[in-house]
Amino acid sequence: MTAALRPFDAAITGLGMVTPAGIGAAASWQTVCDADGTAAAPDPVLDGLRTDFSARVPGFDADKLLGRRKAWRLDRCTQLAIVAAGEALADSGLDVAAWDGARVGVVIGSGIGGAATWEAQHKTLLDHGPGRVSAMLIPMLAVNMVAGYIAMEYGARGPNLVVATACASGASAIGVARDLLRSGACDIVLTGGAEACLIPSIVSGFAQMGALSKRREDPRTGSRPFDAERDGFVPGEGAAILVLEGLADARARGARVHANISGYGSSADAFHATAPHPEGRGAEQALRLALRDAGVGPDSVDHVNAHGTSTPLNDAVEAEMIRRVLGDQVTVTSTKGVTGHALGAAGAMEAAFTALTVEHSFVPPTANLSQQDAGIDVDVVAKAGRHQPVEVAVSNSFGFGGQNAVLVLTPGSPGGQGESSQRPSSAAV
Amino acid sequence: MQTVYPRLVELLARFGVPETEITLDSTFEDLDLDSLTLVEFTLCAEQEFGVKIEDDTLNRQDTLKRAAEVIEIQGAAV
């Protein structure tokens, strides 16, 4: 066992979100606080599939948001990421024109990358032959391009990576970004996750393995983490980008700090391709590592933003692991009740929601939780959000392949709330 | 030329090039089409006009006038 590195706080100085809960961090947070599960709806693209509903980003118009000249070259996954990155940078107050791009890194998590482009071009190949395949196929589908295009957009010439740990990708990316800051490899990192694979082949694959909700008659209640009648996840999409800087740097320039990334733990179950270890062995290891990395004990944790996918197995194993390690006093929520499961973007979206939870001292409720599973013995916040000072929060993310990433978040300003006061109206409950 | 050129202008809109920026004498370089975009544009033109345009027939220094001539020589379905 090696000694832990000294604790290091990476300040979240910018947030950008493009999620099924809305375009923009404020819109997404509001929808999540309202526990509004309307994100999931019948999806014409999935017509004829066993699960023919999904949680899409509502009204996303890439031509309008990015301009046609840029938008046509990018897969939707990258489009979502670039829009989120633009919001995050504006929120950070950093002057992109003046920064030293060589000191700016980009680390993005994505499970699959440009899947929709790949599927469409494969159809072109089969229908019309190789001479009609797009010259843009490779730069549109390759998963690394998400980070590459963000770098091109903003002149970020530092380390540039895409991290793929399936449904933990977004959280893993943020952890790696934090490590780059701590190592001194860069001064600023744009990090987060992006995913856009709501296409027939991918959704069929998830359906065939029995991972998806079959609640066709009422899709908006399909994602119901920790509920007794949960039956699988609702496939989603989206992007969330965080601007990270060392806390000292952020304070020196007078930046508003939403929250800090103070700990990161990463592990593998080394057990099964898709099922979690039955005792949550890898998840527990990642959680304990993250707490140790942050220099806090399990009894310091106030709140957990759970992976909480709404699958029978994940939620049971995760809840039991949370109770075992953190006790029964922590509040637990899963924002996937609103957003569905955005796969490689989920960990980043949830890190952003956790940062806003810490900033606003408000835990959003788990949508669609009407009857908590009797076997789940943790304090899941349901129906209405809860005002709660949060000094130490945990965001869990677990991926197929048994890949786990846990982040620890702490307040950006000593003693609780950040400087922003944009608490959503629904918080007054 | 009279039938091909306006359709090239329409095709360029798919790539986000505004009609107001385009003249017969505009080169692809003038219109800020990089090499990959030019390949993609050529693929779209082949489909639009039902012709085969061999690789490297058009380059970034060619004008739209020249592109229209190439397509007409190939026997565009107009």
Side-chain angles (χ1 to χ4, degrees), chain A residues 68-69 73 131-132 134-135, chain B residues 14 31 34 37 40 43 47:
Chain A
R68 179 69 194 157
R69 195 182 267 274
R73 308 172 67 94
R132 289 271 284 279
S134 170
Chain B
R14 290 191 210 169
L31 300 175
D34 64 13
T37 308
E40 196 70 6
L43 283 173
Q47 200 174 336

Side-chain angles (χ1 to χ4, degrees), chain A residues 282-371:
Chain A
E284 177 174 342
Q285 183 182 326
L287 173 55
R288 291 190 185 281
L289 281 170
L291 295 174
R292 183 160 169 258
D293 186 48
V296 299
D299 54 356
S300 303
V301 177
D302 305 301
H303 169 64
V304 178
N305 186 305
H307 189 53
T309 55
S310 180
T311 63
L313 201 51
N314 173 84
D315 294 4
V317 171
E318 183 180 13
E320 172 57 23
M321 188 280 289
I322 289 170
R323 195 200 55 73
R324 188 169 66 244
V325 178
L326 303 178
D328 56 8
Q329 297 301 304
V330 294
T331 55
V332 177
T333 197
S334 169
T335 41
K336 286 189 180 79
V338 171
T339 63
H341 189 355
L343 308 166
M349 283 163 47
E350 287 150 25
F353 286 135
T354 308
L356 291 166
T357 298
V358 170
E359 182 174 8
H360 297 304
S361 300
F362 183 77
V363 177
T366 302
N368 302 320
L369 177 50
S370 44
Q371 180 64 52

Side-chain angles (χ1 to χ4, degrees), chain A residues 71-221:
Chain A
W72 79 266
R73 308 172 67 94
L74 307 174
D75 182 86
R76 182 175 174 90
C77 179
T78 303
Q79 292 173 346
L80 297 171
I82 298 233
V83 171
E87 184 195 4
L89 278 167
D91 183 46
S92 75
L94 286 164
D95 181 357
V96 174
W99 71 14
D100 177 4
R103 299 291 301 164
V104 181
V106 181
V107 185
I108 306 298
S110 185
I112 306 185
T117 296
W118 198 345
E119 187 173 80
Q121 289 300 312
H122 186 246
K123 185 170 189 315
T124 298
L125 174 72
L126 297 179
D127 290 350
H128 303 290
R132 289 271 284 279
V133 171
S134 170
M136 298 302 291
L137 168 61
I138 302 303
M140 287 176 78
L141 86 83
V143 70
N144 67 302
M145 295 304 288
V146 185
Y149 274 117
I150 291 175
M152 286 175 237
E153 186 75 10
Y154 298 108
R157 292 178 286 113
N160 193 280
L161 306 167
V162 160
V163 177
T165 55
C167 302
S169 299
S172 298
I174 293 168
V176 170
R178 194 287 311 261
D179 285 350
L180 285 173
L181 285 174
R182 177 153 70 178
S183 75
C186 30
D187 298 326
I188 299 165
V189 189
L190 309 183
T191 185
E195 200 80 85
C197 58
L198 295 173
I199 54 174
S201 57
I202 298 290
V203 174
S204 295
F206 282 122
Q208 291 295 82
M209 65 169 67
L212 301 183
S213 170
K214 300 181 187 70
R215 200 173 281 264
R216 306 181 66 215
E217 73 284 2
D218 191 11
R220 56 184 290 175
T221 65

